[in-house]
Amino acid sequence: MTSSLAHFRPFPEAPALILEYLAERSAEEAVVDTPSPWDLGALPVELVEPMPAWLDAVCRWLNTRYAWQPQDVIPPCWAEHEGLAYDIAALAFARGYAYADAGASVIWHEQYDRFLTRMNKSLGKAGDDCRAGRHEERPARFLLAAWPASSEADDEGPDVVTEQAVGRHS
C-alpha cells in the first residue's frame, strides 16, 4: 500500500552559506553582533546573493501547498515588493524554528495567516495584476514625492523621492 503522504515535499532548505552563518551566529563563542539573516537590508552582499533563489523556492513551496484561493498566492514579483521580501524572509526562517516543536508549528501557521493579511493589504488592487505576471511599479509611488528630500545622507528610499522631486522641480 502506498502512503497517501508520499507526495508531500519538504520545505526548501536554506543555502549552505546561510546555514553556516546561522551556526556561527548562534555559537556560544560568537562575540560579534551580526544582523539577523532575515534582515535582508542589513546583510553583507555575499549573504544576500543566495537569498533570492531560496526565497523564490520558499514562495513556490508555499503557493503549491497553501494557496487554494487567489488572494493567498504570493506573486512571482515578490522581490519587487521590498516589504513583502522582508516578510517572506522572516516567515521562511521562522518556519525552520517552528517545526522543532509541534505547538510552535501551529503558531507559525497563525503567523502565515497574518502574513497573507499583510501581503494583501500592502499589494491592494495591484495584487491581482502582480499575481497574473503584470507587475507595475508601486501604485502609490507618487505620494512619496511629497516627502521633502532627507537632510541626512541615508539610502532608505529618498533616492526615489529625490529623483522624483528633482524631476518635478527641474
Side-chain angles (χ1 to χ4, degrees):
M1 179 171 149
T2 305
S3 170
S4 62
L5 303 180
H7 67 282
F8 284 33
R9 298 289 175 249
F11 191 76
E13 187 171 337
L17 188 62
I18 300 300
L19 294 175
E20 290 169 17
Y21 178 76
L22 284 171
E24 290 172 12
R25 193 168 181 267
S26 63
E28 290 181 32
E29 62 272 357
V31 292
V32 179
D33 189 25
T34 57
S36 301
W38 49 88
D39 188 357
L40 301 174
L43 293 176
V45 173
E46 65 271 8
L47 291 176
V48 172
E49 285 178 0
M51 286 292 220
W54 176 56
L55 293 177
D56 191 69
V58 167
C59 290
R60 290 170 185 270
W61 187 91
L62 290 169
N63 283 343
T64 303
R65 272 75 192 163
Y66 292 100
W68 288 88
Q69 299 297 319
Q71 70 273 11
D72 296 342
V73 173
I74 300 168
C77 59
W78 62 267
E80 301 297 319
H81 300 274
E82 192 171 334
L84 191 53
Y86 276 104
D87 234 356
I88 291 166
L91 191 67
F93 282 102
R95 189 182 185 283
Y97 295 118
Y99 273 75
D101 176 80
S105 66
V106 171
I107 293 169
W108 181 86
H109 283 89
E110 292 170 358
Q111 293 169 336
Y112 177 68
D113 189 52
R114 289 193 304 268
F115 158 75
L116 292 174
T117 299
R118 287 189 308 277
M119 176 183 72
N120 285 308
K121 182 179 178 187
S122 70
L123 292 176
K125 293 178 182 178
D128 291 338
D129 287 337
C130 286
R131 288 181 185 96
R134 296 185 305 265
H135 173 80
E136 291 187 26
E137 290 302 311
R138 179 192 226 164
R141 185 171 295 264
F142 68 93
L143 295 177
L144 295 178
W147 283 77
S150 174
S151 60
E152 296 178 18
D154 63 27
D155 56 354
E156 288 193 24
D159 294 343
V160 172
V161 175
T162 304
E163 289 171 12
Q164 290 176 346
V166 169
R168 190 178 57 222
H169 298 294
S170 300

